[in-house]
Amino acid sequence: MGGVALDVDAGGVKAPDGGWGWAVLAGCFVITGFSYAFPKAISVFFKDLIREFGVGYSDTAWISSILLAMLYGTGPLCSALVNRFGCRPVMMVGGLFASLGMILASFSTSIVHIYLSTGVVTGLGLALNFQPSLIMLNRYFSEKRPLANGLAAAGSPVALSVLSPLGPILQYQYGWRGGFLILGGILLNCCVCGALMKPLVAPKAVKCEDEGDKVNGTEKKAKSKLLDFSVLKDRGFVIYTVAASIMVLGLFVPPLFVVSYAKELGNEDTKSALLLTILGFIDIFARPVCGIVAGLKRVRPHCVYLFSFAMIFNGVTDLVGSQAKDYTSLVVFCIFFGVSYGMVGALQFEVLMAIVGTARFSSAIGLVLLMEAIAVLVGPPGAGRLLDATKNYMYVFLLAGSEVVLSAVVLATCNFIFIRKRPSATADQLHDITVTFSSDAEAGGRRAESNGEEEKGEREEQEKETNKNTAKEEEQRNECEAEEGRPQRSTVDSQEVEQFLKEPQVNGDVSISPETCL
């Protein structure tokens, strides 16, 4: 990459919380929309693919599954590339891959070719955009980060509401091959979003310190780490990863099955599809509002518990929605599910950022997405098998709700037991140590001051006695010289001597003491 401006050490630079960060937020908004909405948007072409290649629904479903698996499963690879080259070049290359995959898919002659092009190549391209965009958002925002995460997460429902009606139009006008080609061109906008990810530049003072670190080899050692596995030693990160993996098992199931559920109850296709529109519309507003709430001073320190509440809200909504018997009940379910789903989407990465910090976030998110990829591959297919076995949507929603509620219990309980009390105990110990040290220091200072005053008084008394004796000897010597007829020496008054002792004369930088004069 040669002259690429790396941003791997931007964690040492203070987040501007604005400025160019708003452009970064706009890019992250678009990337998040493409990443989450695109796998659903291409599903409108599945019927044409079935007729074209003579395959079944399960075969075409693998396209979205492979795409999502690449989006989540390549997390560690994305982390390593970001830590090595920086976010901007990785995202621009990812945009080229995402576009190239859809263009190649338009020339496919078998379903396997689409697996490789749309599933693998496009999925990898979206992954190389999604994760770095979140990393850059974390670097540009600190105080306003919850709001920024909420606004960026709103890109998913907005893109879904735009791409979902666009797909049928492209299919009708140009067929599936022309539609894939146009979608490939649209994905080139990922390169534009990548170009917005300008690395943070450290101030001159920080740069000088960094140069000193380079001399000592500290920075070189940090850059050599392509993936920081030290996050695995963090209790908070481990708890979050386990809880998030359990959550993903059931989080995406209701949106996939709610339309079929409505059709099972005897509703028309267009009326059933309207449920997703309602869900997405509510989701658009729920995410930024939740981001604003999470950014409040009283709420932000307890953001992990707000996230747990959002998951419980979502899980309970699934459990109640499983008892729906008519269309009105499903509409109410979609409204509450949209609110809770938006809350989860706005908070999931905000909580991870708060747990691991800016410096380790690039590695942490890669490992989390890898674990979630396994859950994504297991969750929806498992719900489908349960539906095939029971022929009842109630059990599917009950299973999904139970998994999400379980993840909330794991996160809140483990965080309360293993994380909450540790900082307070440490703070108390530090306070006791500080108070004790301060008390000892003050007592020691008082003792030293007292000892100094006593020593000074003793020295003055000794000097006074010595000078008195010297004055008496001088007087006796003068008397003897007077009797012998020799001139007398000038007498020195004892009071003058004492005054002279108290106020020594200073000549330049040299202090002249009475002992020197005598």
Side-chain angles (χ1 to χ4, degrees), residues 51-66:
R51 289 195 298 266
E52 178 81 15
F53 302 116
V55 295
Y57 284 99
S58 59
D59 297 318
T60 56
W62 274 103
I63 300 174
S64 296
S65 297
I66 295 173

Side-chain angles (χ1 to χ4, degrees), residues 357-433:
T358 302
R360 298 189 298 173
F361 180 71
S362 60
S363 298
I365 189 175
L367 297 173
V368 168
L369 290 178
L370 177 61
M371 296 302 297
E372 290 185 354
I374 300 173
V376 166
L377 291 175
V378 173
R385 289 193 175 186
L386 179 63
L387 179 61
D388 293 336
T390 60
K391 306 298 182 182
N392 193 333
Y393 284 91
M394 179 184 70
Y395 297 108
V396 173
F397 280 72
L398 287 175
L399 176 63
S402 301
E403 291 167 342
V404 177
V405 169
L406 176 61
S407 66
V409 172
V410 170
L411 180 63
T413 304
C414 293
N415 188 80
F416 182 83
I417 295 175
F418 298 109
I419 306 298
R420 178 178 177 271
K421 294 184 179 180
R422 185 176 58 184
S424 60
T426 305
D428 293 341
Q429 292 174 0
L430 291 175
H431 177 71
D432 293 340
I433 292 172

Side-chain angles (χ1 to χ4, degrees), residues 450-467:
S450 177
N451 293 336
E453 291 178 354
E454 292 177 358
E455 292 176 358
K456 183 178 179 181
E458 291 176 358
R459 284 197 303 269
E460 290 180 352
E461 291 294 334
Q462 291 176 358
E463 289 173 356
K464 288 180 180 179
E465 292 179 0
T466 302
N467 291 323

Side-chain angles (χ1 to χ4, degrees), residues 19-38:
W20 191 257
W22 298 116
V24 173
L25 174 59
C28 189
F29 177 89
V30 175
I31 294 298
T32 302
F34 281 149
S35 300
Y36 281 112
F38 203 78

Side-chain angles (χ1 to χ4, degrees), residues 191-259:
C191 296
V192 179
C193 296
L196 294 174
M197 305 299 164
K198 182 173 67 175
L200 281 171
V201 179
K204 293 182 179 180
V206 178
K207 285 183 177 179
C208 294
E209 295 178 0
D210 291 342
E211 290 176 359
D213 292 339
K214 287 181 180 179
V215 175
N216 298 326
T218 305
E219 186 174 346
K220 293 180 180 179
K221 183 178 179 181
K223 286 186 177 182
S224 63
K225 289 185 178 181
L226 296 181
L227 198 61
D228 187 3
F229 288 99
S230 65
V231 294
L232 297 175
K233 299 179 182 179
D234 190 328
R235 290 184 181 180
F237 172 77
V238 174
I239 293 170
Y240 175 89
T241 304
V242 173
S245 300
I246 298 173
M247 176 190 70
V248 171
L249 287 173
L251 183 65
F252 301 124
V253 170
L256 295 176
F257 288 89
V258 67
V259 176

